[in-house]
Amino acid sequence: MNKKIFKESLIGMVMGVGIMLSAYYLIPKDIIYKLFPTTNSESVIFFISVIICPFLAIFLHELGHLVAGLIQGFKLQLFVVAFLGIKRQDDKIKFYLNKELQYFGGVAASSPIQITNKLKEQFALILIAGPIFSLVFGLLFITLFIYSNTLFNSSFGIIGIISTGLFFATTIPEKSGNFFTDRKRMQRLYDKGKTGEIEQSYIETTSQLLIDNHYKNLSTEKLCLIQSDTEPIVQFWGYYFEFKHYEELGNSEKAALIKEKLLTYKEIVPVNIWNSLSIN
């Protein structure tokens, strides 16, 4: 892990701990104690909730992204949380068991029927919908936790706390590991300078890829613009798309040249993602 990524991860961790400590000291203790079990039945539900509820909170966040795409006429391409996934294959929706580690933290992908001049606004809505779902459901479940008195108090509390945390985690920092948060992606998208042009090219490129299900029609001009970004991880995707573009066109000479550039980014790409791309 390079120093920049380590610094950003450390800042995120400190912010998370700060929020938790603030909540502990500001929230009345009698409400906090409701989170913990007092009977055997509550203990069973509590331990099950500790395992399942974080994934339910992630599910709600990714559902926000997906719903925002579907209501705009986009087609579902992929929706995964932990081991469970839904994907479009041969233009049919299929359920499957996810084995890709990079998707365990949740992913939702939908594609437009065609690329229009409204793509930026459509994608911005998809970006913001995830944090909004997290905040709304977080507050809803926290309200249920505070004002209800059932065996499922711990479930309500855990989902509410994690969902609210996801809202802050996807809006306050600029990055989560190597990747931009939802807020930062939206900020980049509406940037008036070159960054906005790069982000526009990126969403048009990925949308074209999802529409066609191949790399042949990708614009090399847009790929070059993506490669000019100041962020190495964005540059990497520009080169990867170009590599696949020439590979599918049968231009092995150009594909080999791009592959050499790709290999220089190997250290910044998470191992599980690098392995799934079959570059070597």
Side-chain angles (χ1 to χ4, degrees), residues 130-147:
I132 289 176
F133 263 53
S134 289
L135 180 60
V136 170
F137 281 104
L139 295 177
L140 173 62
F141 278 103
I142 286 176
T143 301
L144 288 173
F145 167 69
I146 293 173
Y147 292 104

Side-chain angles (χ1 to χ4, degrees), residues 111-157:
S111 63
I113 304 300
Q114 60 182 352
I115 297 176
T116 68
N117 56 8
K118 295 181 179 180
L119 186 60
K120 179 168 74 173
E121 290 75 16
Q122 291 173 321
F123 194 72
L125 180 58
I126 292 173
L127 284 172
I128 199 64
I132 289 176
F133 263 53
S134 289
L135 180 60
V136 170
F137 281 104
L139 295 177
L140 173 62
F141 278 103
I142 286 176
T143 301
L144 288 173
F145 167 69
I146 293 173
Y147 292 104
S148 67
N149 189 21
T150 72
L151 288 173
F152 299 100
N153 276 349
S154 57
S155 302
F156 296 154

Side-chain angles (χ1 to χ4, degrees), residues 150-194:
T150 72
L151 288 173
F152 299 100
N153 276 349
S154 57
S155 302
F156 296 154
I158 293 171
I159 295 176
I161 291 169
I162 294 177
S163 289
T164 306
L166 280 173
F167 167 76
F168 289 113
T170 55
T171 55
I172 295 178
E174 291 193 350
K175 283 187 175 182
S176 175
N178 277 310
F179 303 101
F180 294 117
T181 59
D182 295 328
R183 187 271 302 173
K184 184 60 179 178
R185 286 292 307 277
M186 192 169 178
Q187 183 181 340
R188 282 173 56 89
L189 190 59
Y190 280 98
D191 182 90
K192 300 296 184 181
K194 186 178 179 181

Side-chain angles (χ1 to χ4, degrees), residues 63-79:
L63 183 64
H65 292 309
L66 180 61
V67 168
L70 296 180
I71 64 175
Q72 296 181 96
F74 284 29
K75 295 169 66 174
L76 183 152
Q77 295 292 341
L78 184 68
F79 185 83

Side-chain angles (χ1 to χ4, degrees), residues 37-52 151-152 154-155:
T38 57
T39 67
N40 289 337
S41 297
E42 288 179 355
S43 296
V44 172
I45 293 175
F46 175 80
F47 287 111
I48 293 175
S49 298
V50 168
I51 297 171
I52 295 178
L151 288 173
F152 299 100
S154 57
S155 302

Side-chain angles (χ1 to χ4, degrees), residues 112-117 119 203-205 207-208 211 222:
I113 304 300
Q114 60 182 352
I115 297 176
T116 68
N117 56 8
L119 186 60
I203 63 170
E204 289 178 357
T205 296
S207 295
Q208 189 69 56
I211 292 170
K222 291 177 182 177

